[in-house]
Amino acid sequence: MKELKMYVNGEWVDSKNGESIAVHDPSTGKQMASLPRGEQADVDEAVQAAKRAFESDEWRKVKPFERGRLLYKIAGRLERDRDELANLESQDVGKPLSQGYADIDAAIRYFEFYAGAADKVMGETIPIEDGLLDYVVREPIGVTAHIVPWNYPIQILSRSVAAAIAMGNTVVVKSAEDTPMTACRIAEYVDELELPAGVFNHVTGYGSEAGAALSRNPGINQLTFTGSVATGIAVSKAANENVVPVTLELGGKSPNIVFADCDIDKTVDGVVKAIIQNAGQTCSAGSRLLVEESFKEAFLKRVVERFKKLKVGPALADEDIGPILNKRQYDRILEYLELAKQEGNVLVGGKPADVDAGGCYLEPTIIDGLTPNSRLAQEEIFGPVLTVFTFKDDQEALKLANSTEYGLVAGVWTKDVSRAHYLASRIDAGQVFVNNYGAGGGVQMPFGGYKKSGFGREKGWIALYNYTQVKNVAIRYE
Ligand code: NAD
C-alpha cells in the first residue's frame, strides 16, 4: 500500500498533524494508499513557498520559451509512463481502463498545448497621440490555487496547472481526497525537472480543511475551482474576501436534443456514450434526452436495447461502465432511483448491478415519464442515469433544454443545418455540439458554464488569460 506525501517547497512532506486519510480502490472497496491529512498550516506553508518562488529572480528569469520546454518535458514523462498512469487513474477513479488512457492522452495534450503557448501571448500598443507610447502587457498574476474534483483528476489538474505555469505563475494544487494518485505522480515529474522550489506545490486533505484553507488564504492571487455548485459558492465567497479572481467550473444537467431527421445509428451511439462515460460521473454528462415526440418510440427502443447490452465491471476489466466512486455517491444515486420509481417509469436498470468485486456498481438506467420540473429532471444525479423528455417543435425543445439552472454542454442531433444553427444560437450552454457530443474532448476548445455551471473558461487559448493580469504603460517621450 502506498504512503503518499504532499509536495511543498520542493520537499516531500507529511501533514504537520501527522494524520492521514485512507484512499480506496472503487472497484474493490479496498484501501490502496494513505494520504496526508493536510490542514491550514500545511496550506499556509505551500502558499508561502509559492509566493517566495513567484517573487524570486530564479523563476522570473526563466524565459517564456523555457517555461514551455519544462511543460513539454512533463508531457514527455506522461507519454513515457502512459501505461502505468492509465492503470493508476483507472484504478483510482474506478473508470474503465480505456477511459484512463483517454485521460492520460488528454493530460499530455494539455501540457503540450500550453507549452507551445508559453511564448506566444503578446501585448499590444495603443495609438493615443504623438509623443506618447502606450503599451499593454499581460503579466502573471502570482500564486494560483487549483482545487480539483475526483472524477477527472489528471485532466483537470493538467488543464489549469499547465496554463498557469505557461504564463509564469506559481501553483498550489489541492487534489480530491478520494483520487490523489496521479497528482502525486505529476509532483514527481516536477521534482525530477528541478524547477525552482515552490513553483509547483501539491497539498492533500479534506475539502473542508485543506480546500477551505486554500480558498481563503490571503496569499493566493487567483483560484480555479472545479467541483459542485455548493462548494463553488463557498470557495468563491472565501476568495472574494481577499479580492481574488475565481474561475468556477461546476456541474451540469446537459441535454441531448434529438430530432426525427437525425442519423439514428450515430445518434444512439452519441447519446449512450454521453451518459455512461465514467459511469455518468462527468460534469458534461448528457443526462437528459430530449427527443422529438413522433420519433420517441423508434429512438428510445434502440437506446434501451443498447443499455441492456452494456456491461458493468471493475475498472481494469475495461467494461462499458465501472463502479461508482464510493458508498456515499452510490447511496445518493440510489435515493434518486427510489424517487424515480415513485415519480416516473424506469425503462431499464434502476438497481444495483450484479458485480461481485467489492465495490458499488449500478445498472445503467433510463427514466421516462418525469415532469420537467421534477428533482430528477433538474438535479445532477452524477450516475449512469438518463432521463427522457419529449418535444413537438424547436421552441419546445429549446424551452426544455434551457429549463434547468445549469448550462454546461448541449448536443443537437439533426440533418437540418438551419435548425442546428438556430438552436446553437439559442441554447444556454458553454459548448454546443451538433451531430456529435464532446468532439473528443479537444483541449483547444473553450470549456465552461452558463448559469450555475460556473463562470470563466478553461481549456483553449482563452484560459491563458485566467492566469494573466493586464498592465497598461504610458510613456511620454516628447
Ligand atoms: P466537490 O465540490 O465536493 O469537491 C471538489 C473539490 O473541492 C475537492 O478537491 C474537494 O476536496 C474540495 N472541497 C470540498 N469542500 C470544500 C470546501 N468547503 N472548500 C474548499 N474546497 C472544498 O465536488 P466533487 O464531488 O469532487 O466533484 C463532482 C462535481 O464536480 C460535480 O458537480 C461535477 O459536475 C463537477 N465537475 C465539474 C467540472 C467542470 O469542468 N465543469 C469537471 C468535473 C467535475
Side-chain angles (χ1 to χ4, degrees), residues 148 150-151 159 174 177 207 211-212 226-228 231 250-251 283 380 447:
V148 178
W150 52 262
N151 58 346
R159 74 185 185 196
K174 206 300 270 174
E177 53 273 33
T226 310
S228 60
T231 314
L250 310 179
C283 53
E380 188 182 40
F447 178 70

Side-chain angles (χ1 to χ4, degrees), residues 52 65 67 92 135 217 246 288 394 420 432 438 443 457:
R52 279 195 306 278
F65 81 87
R67 295 198 300 261
D92 196 17
Y135 63 88
N217 194 299
V246 176
R288 289 186 299 145
D394 293 8
V432 178
V443 305
R457 293 292 177 269

Side-chain angles (χ1 to χ4, degrees), residues 271-326:
V271 165
V272 173
K273 281 191 184 141
I275 183 60
I276 64 165
Q277 185 173 318
N278 201 19
Q281 303 167 117
T282 301
C283 53
S284 54
S287 53
R288 289 186 299 145
L289 167 62
L290 316 184
V291 57
E292 192 167 350
E293 200 169 80
S294 61
F295 189 51
K296 178 183 176 187
E297 203 181 324
F299 187 72
L300 208 50
K301 186 165 166 277
R302 292 280 306 273
V303 178
V304 169
E305 275 167 15
R306 276 288 297 279
F307 263 56
K308 285 186 176 155
K309 288 192 190 131
L310 294 170
K311 294 210 170 93
V312 184
L316 297 179
D318 203 21
E319 303 290 11
D320 301 300
I321 300 177
I324 301 302
L325 176 81
N326 57 26

Side-chain angles (χ1 to χ4, degrees), residues 25-29 90-91 93-99 276 278-279 281 307 309-325 352-364 384:
D25 174 343
S27 296
T28 62
S90 163
Q91 191 188 4
V93 185
K95 58 177 66 182
L97 183 58
S98 45
Q99 294 177 28
I276 64 165
N278 201 19
Q281 303 167 117
F307 263 56
K309 288 192 190 131
L310 294 170
K311 294 210 170 93
V312 184
L316 297 179
D318 203 21
E319 303 290 11
D320 301 300
I321 300 177
I324 301 302
L325 176 81
D354 188 15
V355 180
D356 186 19
C360 299
Y361 295 85
L362 279 174
E363 287 186 358

